[in-house]
Amino acid sequence: MLRLPRAEAPPGTVHYWCEVSAHTTGHHREHRLGGYHAPTPRLAMKWLHGRAGHIADRFTPGPRTPVRAWLNDIAEHGYALAALAAGGIYTHTIRDGATRYQLAALPTARLFIPRTRTAS
C-alpha cells in the first residue's frame, strides 16, 4: 500500500466533507448516495440541498414530504450554516418506513501534499 507523507495544511484550508446515505432497517444495510468535499459551509449546504432534491424527485411518494419540508426550511439551513462555520457537524435524518436518509456535513482538513518538482 502506498503511503503518502502528510504535511501540515496551510492556515485556512478547512474543507467540509458532505455525504448522503440511505439506511435500511430490515437488512441493516447502508447505501452511500454520494459524497463531496466542499470548500465552504455554503457550498456544503448547496450540495446537500441538491442531493436532497434528487431524493425527493426519485423516491415517491415516501420521503417526498419530509424531504420537501427540509428543502424549504430556511431556519434549519441557517442553523446548519452557523454550525458548520463554527466548526461543528451538521446531520439531518429523514425517515420513511423502513428506510432513513441521512444528510451530513462535517469540517475536515484536506490531505495536503506539497508539490515537488520532478527532474525532466
Side-chain angles (χ1 to χ4, degrees):
M1 175 181 198
L2 175 64
R3 298 229 181 239
L4 298 173
R6 288 187 180 252
E8 288 298 316
T13 57
V14 172
H15 285 69
Y16 301 84
W17 175 248
C18 309
E19 188 170 295
V20 176
S21 57
H23 305 264
T24 57
T25 56
H27 299 292
H28 302 290
R29 292 189 181 170
E30 178 180 356
H31 306 278
R32 288 194 54 214
L33 303 177
Y36 173 67
H37 251 116
T40 67
R42 190 164 304 282
L43 288 175
M45 287 305 298
K46 183 177 180 178
W47 186 84
L48 288 176
H49 197 270
R51 294 305 299 160
H54 287 131
I55 290 170
D57 291 343
R58 287 181 169 74
F59 298 99
T60 58
R64 188 178 236 8
T65 302
V67 172
R68 291 286 176 205
W70 181 83
L71 287 169
N72 295 316
D73 191 343
I74 294 173
E76 181 69 13
H77 297 163
Y79 166 78
L81 281 171
L84 290 172
I89 295 171
Y90 176 75
T91 62
H92 183 76
T93 302
I94 299 163
R95 297 186 193 290
D96 172 43
T99 305
R100 63 184 166 89
Y101 302 92
Q102 186 169 35
L103 311 171
L106 63 141
T108 181
R110 271 192 111 153
L111 175 63
F112 176 71
I113 302 172
R115 292 185 178 214
T116 56
R117 293 184 182 212
T118 57
S120 304

